[in-house]
Amino acid sequence: MSGMVVEGGGSDGDNARLFDERVLVLDFGSQYAQLIARRVREQNVYCEIVRHDITPERVMAHRPRGIIFSGGPNSVYEPGAPRCHPEILRMGIPVLGICYGMQLACELLGGQVRSVPSREYGRARCYVERSEGLLAGFTAQTDVWMSHGDQVTSVSDEFVSLAHTKTCPIAAVRHKTLPVYGLQFHPEVTHTPQGGMLLHNFVTMVCGCEGTWNLGDFARETIERMRDQIGSGRVICGLSGGVDSAVTAALLYKAIGPQLSCILVDNGLLRKAEQEAVIAVFSKHFQTDLHVVDAESRFLSALAGVTEPQEKRRRIGHAFIECFKEEATKIEDARFLAQGTLYPDVIESGAAPDGPAATIKLHHNVGGLPEELGFELIEPLRDLFKDEVRRMGLELGLPGEIVWRHPFPGPGLAVRCLGEVTRQRLDVLREADAIVVDEIKAAGLYRSTAQAFAVLLPIQSVGVMGDARTYENTLVVRCVDTDDFMTADWSRLPESLLARISTRVINEVKGVNRVVYDISSKPPATIEWE
């Protein structure tokens, strides 16, 4: 790896030492844009997401080897539909259009796109006409994943058809003279079995990339960059017990050692024995300054009587900033604040310089604290996805129980304790949640599931325990499978495991007499309940 990502995403062409091999994804509103970027990175080629209306000048500043047009929910012929600058197709940089991206590229180069009666959603059989170039190595027939109501109905004589389905005569094309390719199907999803090979063909055979992006070199260069940036200063890092803050701390510790101070705010909303576990891990792996703030009473007071989810989040965020600020002022000579911001956080908060314009959600770790405290911000994971962070954690020697720990929301158990948050209800939820996780681990399913937890409902129901009638709480068990957390399906846990969880919770957790299992997928549901 001969380049280095600069602080803030490494996208500013004037100052950044860019990676030699880079692919840009122009985002046209696709739910799969991040997945495309992850799939390209799996080919050891660095990939980032940019706005669909990026200027040709900004494209050249990134110096990409290739460009991918994402899919999107619009029709290209609709007024106001997102478009790119036409010149991008004629810059000599290979372009791969996916679904909407193919339709737009073909229309800009003289083709026609229409709504058709024979829409395709889901798995389809694709017939390969030319097993070469982009489709090199493909079998004559292959399954692909379709999701479209429009399709390219005609192209100019400058295009060559590469594949078709029974209802889509132009399922893959290439331009005769320009390095422009189009796919009506989605190669980035696992439902297209040969999609990985297709993306490999694009980045290697079409774009000429050799695959020089790797996390080992990224970690070494990040450590070197932070060491130069920090000098003899002191850095504060907030710990949460999750993998993101742990890997951030590990990188900093390798860069500056004892100049690192960590703060753990125990807000009373943590999982069972969380504070003790964090202290034990960091005492063993880091000889660094650790501050633990006991703030349970402050947070519970702030949440008293609050039931609205967004108001819970707002109050928790405000209380966290106040606690962190008070503790940070006690640390002498601290000039820097480190945060475990990930690339999806940057994209979804609209914080990337050339990223999508729409803000999907706000994250407390992409703004707020630096301005509140006046620190210089350090975000060493800002260019990485969650799976890359986990792999880096293993390379840095972090224990598996930290690296593979299921994600935990910033507001903690408050968003899993529906209705009013009280110490008593949190204690019930904490005990039940620990049983859920313990049983899933005992069954050997913790690593194969992405997230498992308990949710306490503000609903009581009638039960019978012994000879007595009860009127107690309902607990939901939530367990999902996902690779990217953008979509998720409910885990098909064995009935015997669910039975053990239910029996233990009802027998061991006072205040629960009914356990239910959430079988909702995302979308339409979310993973968390609030």
Side-chain angles (χ1 to χ4, degrees):
M1 185 182 297
S2 57
M4 183 193 299
V5 172
V6 298
E7 194 61 44
S11 300
D12 215 339
D14 295 332
N15 301 315
R17 290 186 289 165
L18 299 177
F19 289 125
D20 286 341
E21 297 183 346
R22 180 184 299 259
V23 170
L24 300 182
V25 175
L26 269 61
D27 184 9
F28 291 92
S30 171
Q31 63 175 320
Y32 296 134
Q34 292 185 26
L35 187 56
I36 296 170
R38 287 180 63 248
R39 293 290 181 253
V40 172
R41 291 192 189 186
E42 288 173 2
Q43 308 300 324
N44 294 320
V45 174
Y46 184 69
C47 186
E48 62 182 314
I49 302 167
V50 297
R51 296 167 59 104
H52 65 271
D53 57 355
I54 187 172
T55 65
E57 292 75 22
R58 288 299 301 161
V59 169
M60 292 307 297
H62 286 269
R63 293 177 14 209
R65 293 285 188 92
I67 297 171
I68 298 176
F69 289 5
S70 81
N74 301 93
S75 296
V76 297
Y77 48 79
E78 291 176 345
R83 305 180 75 80
C84 68
H85 199 292
E87 187 182 332
I88 291 175
L89 294 168
R90 301 184 180 277
M91 296 171 69
I93 303 170
V95 174
L96 173 63
I98 297 175
C99 198
Y100 178 92
M102 167 185 168
Q103 295 166 11
L104 178 62
C106 289
E107 187 202 53
L108 290 173
L109 294 173
Q112 290 188 329
V113 178
R114 296 285 184 270
S115 176
V116 293
S118 52
R119 302 182 175 191
E120 290 180 306
Y121 293 97
R123 207 172 260 107
R125 175 66 67 170
C126 184
Y127 301 91
V128 177
E129 300 159 22
R130 296 170 181 265
S131 183
E132 60 186 32
L134 190 67
L135 301 181
F138 268 60
T139 54
Q141 299 181 26
T142 184
D143 286 336
V144 296
W145 188 259
M146 292 284 197
S147 181
H148 68 99
D150 297 339
Q151 65 184 33
V152 177
T153 54
S154 67
V155 290
S156 71
D157 293 339
E158 293 299 307
F159 278 94
V160 175
S161 178
L162 301 178
H164 66 276
T165 69
K166 288 183 177 179
T167 59
C168 182
I170 308 175
V173 294
R174 69 169 172 84
H175 198 274
K176 291 180 180 177
T177 57
L178 298 173
V180 176
Y181 298 78
L183 303 171
Q184 186 56 69
F185 57 89
H186 289 269
E188 70 273 20
V189 301
T190 55
H191 303 297
T192 299
Q194 293 185 295
M197 181 168 65
L198 187 151
L199 291 173
H200 175 78
N201 289 343
F202 178 69
V203 299
T204 58
M205 298 175 65
V206 178
C207 301
C209 295
E210 297 179 1
T212 58
W213 159 256
N214 70 78
L215 287 174
D217 286 345
F218 177 86
R220 283 187 288 274
E221 293 187 347
T222 298
I223 290 168
E224 190 99 6
R225 170 175 51 78
M226 290 194 301
R227 190 177 289 139
D228 292 341
Q229 180 184 1
I230 295 164
S232 59
R234 178 163 290 277
V235 180
I236 297 175
C237 178
L239 297 180
S240 66
V243 63
D244 303 338
S245 64
V247 173
T248 298
L251 284 167
L252 281 162
Y253 186 68
K254 287 187 176 292
I256 60 172
Q259 295 166 237
L260 174 65
S261 292
C262 294
I263 298 176
L264 169 63
V265 176
D266 186 347
N267 55 15
L269 307 172
L270 303 179
R271 288 170 283 200
K272 186 177 180 179
E274 185 114 46
Q275 181 188 128
E276 295 85 350
V278 173
I279 293 173
V281 167
F282 277 81
S283 298
K284 180 179 180 181
H285 292 274
F286 306 96
Q287 299 301 314
T288 188
D289 182 34
L290 177 60
H291 297 244
V292 179
V293 182
D294 184 1
E296 180 184 34
S297 297
R298 176 183 288 195
F299 278 80
L300 290 181
S301 295
L303 290 169
V306 178
T307 60
E308 204 279 317
Q310 286 303 99
E311 182 63 16
K312 284 183 185 179
R313 290 176 177 272
R314 191 192 68 79
R315 293 194 182 201
I316 291 168
H318 180 74
F320 177 80
I321 288 174
E322 289 301 312
C323 288
F324 202 94
K325 182 192 299 184
E326 290 173 11
E327 194 63 29
T329 57
K330 301 175 185 177
I331 301 173
E332 295 183 4
D333 302 323
R335 291 178 43 215
F336 302 90
L337 175 67
Q339 297 184 152
T341 308
L342 303 190
Y343 190 50
D345 299 335
V346 176
I347 293 298
E348 293 177 1
S349 65
D354 289 313
T359 298
I360 300 172
K361 56 187 176 182
L362 294 174
H363 298 261
H364 77 268
N365 62 339
V366 293
L369 269 177
E371 292 81 358
E372 288 276 346
L373 300 176
F375 289 139
E376 187 175 337
L377 187 60
I378 293 177
E379 296 175 309
L381 309 181
R382 186 182 175 93
D383 295 297
L384 301 183
F385 288 101
K386 175 71 81 173
D387 58 316
E388 294 171 324
V389 173
R390 291 191 193 280
R391 296 206 313 272
M392 182 179 289
L394 293 174
E395 289 197 25
L396 293 170
L398 286 174
E401 62 264 27
I402 288 290
V403 172
W404 296 110
R405 196 170 197 191
H406 287 183
F408 190 58
L413 295 179
V415 293
R416 296 175 179 174
C417 184
L418 276 62
E420 185 176 5
V421 179
T422 65
R423 183 178 281 107
Q424 181 182 10
R425 298 190 75 224
L426 286 169
D427 287 342
V428 170
L429 177 57
R430 222 180 321 263
E431 291 299 321
D433 182 76
I435 290 172
V436 171
V437 174
D438 286 347
E439 287 296 333
I440 289 175
K441 285 181 176 178
L445 297 175
Y446 189 75
R447 282 280 301 275
S448 61
T449 55
Q451 202 164 357
F453 55 90
V455 179
L456 187 65
L457 300 185
I459 297 172
Q460 293 183 310
S461 64
V462 175
V464 177
M465 301 181 79
D467 293 324
R469 176 183 181 275
T470 62
Y471 192 60
E472 293 181 333
N473 295 295
T474 300
L475 187 94
V476 178
V477 176
R478 178 71 158 148
C479 188
V480 299
D481 300 331
T482 179
D483 291 326
D484 49 41
F485 293 90
M486 292 177 281
T487 62
D489 196 10
W490 59 279
S491 304
R492 271 60 174 180
L493 298 181
E495 290 182 13
S496 57
L497 172 57
L498 292 174
R500 285 196 302 274
I501 290 173
S502 178
T503 300
R504 281 196 61 192
V505 168
I506 292 173
N507 287 345
E508 299 175 27
V509 182
K510 187 177 180 180
V512 176
N513 69 353
R514 191 176 300 271
V515 175
V516 300
Y517 190 50
D518 184 348
I519 59 170
S520 309
S521 296
K522 174 190 178 183
T526 54
I527 295 177
E528 298 289 346
W529 274 54
E530 287 189 343

